[in-house]
Amino acid sequence: EIVKNEKLTKDLNGLLEFFDPRVIKEREEMTLHLSRNGQVNAFALPGGHIVINFGLISKSKRVEEVLGVLAHETAHVTQRHILNNIIDSLGLFTIVQFLVGDFSGAAAVILTKGQFLLQKKFSRSFESEADRVGFNYLILSGIDPSGLKDFFQFLKKESKTKNTKAINFLNTHPLYEERIKQMNQLFKEAKQIHLKKIKRVKYDFDKLKKDISQGLLSP
């Protein structure tokens, strides 16, 4: 369920301001949405829409973790992974039908496979590329990319506890151990001149978490 609260939505979208517009050219076209879902998850949809579950906000310890996930999901959008997944799932013929105006056949396929598309995993190569591109977005924006690494470490820890059912991110974003290893490699390969530009994000993340928690209690 998407939260229909203008203030919370505006505050959430304010997180995009931490990204350098020269790094993410599509930033102005990105829109963040808050879901009431308590599972730790976030996912991108066509059109530059990214849905962030309340569970991701509440479980994150610092804003850099959320920004890391945003960078990763944004990379899925900018690298056209979603479109490629849709074409792979529905078939190019269905997409062409939709583009040329034959909505009847295309709509029928999309309606019947809509839930499947949301649950469809990105390929290992897509996930690896999203991590790599997202890492660069963070570095060039002066945001500490260790937040994304910490998030993967959190998933690894939680996957070994009874809270696994609450970590839906593991279903749509697998192979976190490989990705932690890749993050370590990216840190080694990063240019020192870029690492020196990393600065602490000045942001009252606790206030955002509190405001969202209280906002979700209202109808």
Side-chain angles (χ1 to χ4, degrees), residues 83-176:
L83 177 60
N84 288 331
N85 250 18
I86 291 176
I87 292 176
D88 179 58
S89 300
L90 300 182
L92 183 59
F93 180 71
T94 302
I95 303 300
V96 172
Q97 278 185 307
F98 187 81
L99 293 177
V100 300
D102 182 10
F103 298 106
S104 58
V109 176
I110 293 173
L111 286 173
T112 56
K113 292 190 176 182
Q115 189 64 27
F116 167 76
L117 288 174
L118 287 178
Q119 296 174 346
K120 183 175 173 62
K121 298 177 182 178
F122 286 116
S123 68
R124 180 176 301 194
S125 62
F126 281 175
E127 290 293 357
S128 179
E129 183 178 34
D131 287 343
R132 185 173 64 256
V133 173
F135 180 92
N136 289 331
Y137 285 165
L138 294 168
I139 284 286
L140 297 178
S141 298
I143 302 171
D144 186 0
S146 67
L148 182 56
K149 178 183 175 181
D150 289 347
F151 180 70
F152 290 147
Q153 293 281 13
F154 164 75
L155 294 181
K156 180 179 179 180
K157 179 180 178 181
E158 289 296 300
S159 68
K160 298 179 181 179
T161 70
K162 296 180 180 179
N163 296 324
T164 304
K165 292 182 179 180
I167 311 300
N168 188 251
F169 198 91
L170 293 175
N171 294 327
T172 54
H173 301 72
L175 308 170
Y176 53 90

Side-chain angles (χ1 to χ4, degrees), residues 41-79:
N41 199 11
F43 54 91
L45 296 171
H49 298 279
I50 296 178
V51 178
I52 300 177
N53 283 358
F54 168 66
L56 173 61
I57 300 292
S58 63
K59 291 291 185 179
S60 296
K61 294 182 179 180
R62 56 191 181 116
V63 70
E64 284 85 354
E65 295 178 27
V66 178
L67 293 175
V69 175
L70 280 180
H72 170 87
E73 296 299 336
T74 298
H76 277 313
V77 175
T78 60
Q79 304 307 303

